[in-house]
Amino acid sequence: MKIILIALALATASFAFIGQADARGYRYCLKSSPGPGDCRYASYQQCKASASGVGGTCVRNYGRR
């Protein structure tokens, strides 16, 4: 059981780092709270559609490479 929990923790941690690296490739971020925001939108329209239910703001992703 302990091995399964360790494997699950490692898998979760690896997905967290993958998401951060991938976010740099998108053009827009949805900001609904302090912090970097949800930067996974290729277009402003996609971001605005997601913001409509949350009440957030769409901003340009300046961390994009």
Side-chain angles (χ1 to χ4, degrees), residues 1-64:
M1 182 70 170
K2 189 175 181 180
I3 293 173
I4 293 172
L5 291 175
I6 292 171
L8 183 61
L10 289 173
T12 303
S14 67
F15 284 120
F17 290 115
I18 289 171
Q20 291 174 354
D22 288 343
R24 288 185 236 150
Y26 292 98
R27 300 187 86 159
Y28 294 94
C29 299
L30 173 59
K31 305 242 335 149
S32 57
S33 62
D38 178 11
C39 300
R40 61 179 173 162
Y41 301 99
S43 71
Y44 185 74
Q45 290 78 14
Q46 287 176 338
C47 184
K48 288 301 282 183
S50 293
S52 66
V54 183
T57 304
C58 294
V59 296
R60 188 94 165 142
N61 183 2
Y62 292 106
R64 184 172 175 237

